Amino acid sequence: HEGLRLLLSLWHNTRDDEGVPWLVRFDPKAMGKSVRNIALVDVSDGVEEARYRLVGSSLTRLYGSDLTG
């Protein structure tokens, strides 16, 4: 799947030494149409502190609301 190959390439190009991509290096526009299928989430101090930075339109339709915020 071309979208997954693109995402994997972006992941490898933006990750730190621990394998986690830096949000400041990640450009969702580079995903093209595939961006509708991803979510970018900031997690601090455990899962309770998660913040959705970007939620693609396909995920918004699936969950019935926009989780961004």
Side-chain angles (χ1 to χ4, degrees):
H1 189 273
E2 188 60 33
L4 290 177
R5 274 182 247 152
L6 177 58
L7 179 58
L8 184 59
S9 174
L10 290 170
W11 183 281
H12 285 296
N13 291 331
T14 59
R15 67 184 180 165
D16 61 16
D17 292 337
E18 295 179 10
V20 179
W22 290 28
L23 186 58
V24 296
R25 292 186 191 168
F26 191 85
D27 181 11
K29 292 178 186 174
M31 288 293 303
K33 292 179 181 180
S34 295
V35 75
R36 64 184 169 213
N37 298 310
I38 67 168
L40 299 180
V41 183
D42 277 342
V43 179
S44 59
D45 296 332
V47 177
E48 298 84 28
E49 300 292 326
R51 179 177 176 202
Y52 292 86
R53 296 287 191 156
L54 178 139
V55 178
S57 59
S58 293
L59 298 175
T60 298
R61 274 194 304 280
L62 178 67
Y63 290 107
S65 66
D66 186 359
L67 303 172
T68 306

